[in-house]
C-alpha cells in the first residue's frame, strides 16, 4: 500500500494499539442473569459481524478490515455450535480489501446470498472499490467473477428490501 493510500485510509497514517484482537460470543445464563463466555473469534479490525440461520446451522461472517499492516486481510465464515466444543468451526477465509460489512439475504429463488461491502481499493488508492455478491453453497461463499462485482464508493452500509414483488439491494 502506498503511503498516500495509507494516510487516506488511516487518518494521519498513525496507528495506536493493535487491530488484531478477539471478539467474543456469550450466552445469557437464565438463572444468574449473567453473561457466560463461550468462544473467542480472532478479528483484525472487524467492522461488523453478520449472523444467519441456514439449514438449522448458525453461520457467522466476520468482516475484517485492517491487521496493523494492510487493509488486504481475509474475512471469515464460521459455523457456530451452541451445544458444545468446539463452539466455532472456521469454514472459509474470504480475501477482502478494507471489508466493511456482510449483508445476508434470500435471493429470487430462495437462494442464500451475501453481499460484501468493500470500503477502499488499496491498489488504486481510492474509495471506489468492488463490492461483491456471493452465493452460500455447502458452507462456502461462491461468486461468479464476471457478474458478481459492483463498483461502490466508500460504502459503509448495505441493505436488501422488497419494492413490489422484487428484491432490491
Amino acid at each position: 500500500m502506498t503511503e498516500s493510500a495509507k494516510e487516506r485510509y488511516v487518518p494521519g497514517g498513525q496507528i495506536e494499539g493493535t487491530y488484531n484482537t478477539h471478539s467474543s460470543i456469550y450466552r445469557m445464563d437464565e438463572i444468574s442473569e449473567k453473561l457466560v463466555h463461550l468462544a473467542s473469534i480472532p478479528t483484525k479490525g472487524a467492522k461488523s459481524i453478520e449472523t444467519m440461520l441456514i439449514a438449522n446451522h448458525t453461520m457467522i461472517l466476520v468482516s475484517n478490515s485492517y491487521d496493523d499492516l494492510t487493509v488486504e486481510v481475509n474475512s471469515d465464515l464460521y459455523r457456530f455450535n451452541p451445544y458444545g466444543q468446539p463452539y466455532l468451526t472456521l469454514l472459509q477465509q474470504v480475501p477482502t480489501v478494507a471489508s466493511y460489512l456482510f449483508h445476508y439475504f434470500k435471493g429470487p429463488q430462495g437462494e442464500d446470498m451475501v453481499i460484501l461491502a468493500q470500503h477502499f481499493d488499496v491498489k488504486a488508492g481510492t474509495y471506489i472499490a468492488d463490492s461483491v455478491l456471493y452465493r452460500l453453497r455447502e458452507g462456502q461463499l461462491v461468486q461468479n467473477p464476471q457478474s458478481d462485482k459492483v463498483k461502490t464508493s466508500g460504502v459503509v452500509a448495505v441493505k436488501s428490501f422488497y419494492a413490489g414483488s422484487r428484491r432490491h439491494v
Side-chain angles (χ1 to χ4, degrees):
M1 163 165 61
T2 66
E3 269 314 298
S4 61
K6 181 177 177 183
E7 288 176 314
R8 278 193 298 246
Y9 188 72
V10 179
Q14 301 298 313
I15 302 167
E16 296 181 17
T18 182
Y19 286 82
N20 296 320
T21 186
H22 286 82
S23 295
S24 294
I25 297 176
Y26 296 87
R27 72 169 167 78
M28 176 64 76
D29 182 284
E30 294 176 11
I31 296 170
S32 69
E33 295 185 354
K34 293 184 179 181
L35 294 174
V36 177
H37 183 265
L38 297 181
S40 291
I41 302 173
T43 55
K44 298 174 181 172
K47 293 287 186 181
S48 72
I49 295 177
E50 176 84 354
T51 60
M52 58 209 132
L53 185 63
I54 298 173
N56 294 321
H57 294 286
T58 299
M59 311 295 264
I60 300 173
L61 276 163
V62 179
S63 179
N64 289 315
S65 68
Y66 187 72
D67 72 354
D68 290 341
L69 298 174
T70 181
V71 293
E72 297 178 276
V73 295
N74 290 332
S75 291
D76 301 317
L77 173 63
Y78 293 91
R79 181 174 36 240
F80 177 68
N81 174 9
Y83 303 108
Q85 298 292 336
Y87 285 104
L88 292 172
T89 303
L90 178 63
L91 299 177
Q92 184 179 10
Q93 291 192 305
V94 181
T96 57
V97 179
S99 171
Y100 213 84
L101 61 89
F102 286 99
H103 174 67
Y104 167 77
F105 64 98
K106 290 284 191 181
Q109 311 302 325
E111 190 171 17
D112 297 308
M113 303 187 88
V114 173
I115 284 203
L116 162 66
Q118 298 201 111
H119 184 66
F120 188 77
D121 183 336
V122 70
K123 289 181 176 65
T126 178
Y127 285 95
I128 298 172
D130 287 329
S131 291
V132 183
L133 177 66
Y134 293 97
R135 285 142 184 88
L136 191 59
R137 295 188 180 138
E138 298 176 16
Q140 297 288 298
L141 295 175
V142 179
Q143 79 170 86
N144 177 341
Q146 281 72 38
S147 64
D148 291 349
K149 291 186 177 181
V150 176
K151 288 283 184 210
T152 53
S153 181
V155 66
V156 295
V158 174
K159 287 291 180 191
S160 60
F161 61 95
Y162 281 97
S165 61
R166 292 195 175 180
R167 167 79 66 184
H168 297 74
V169 178

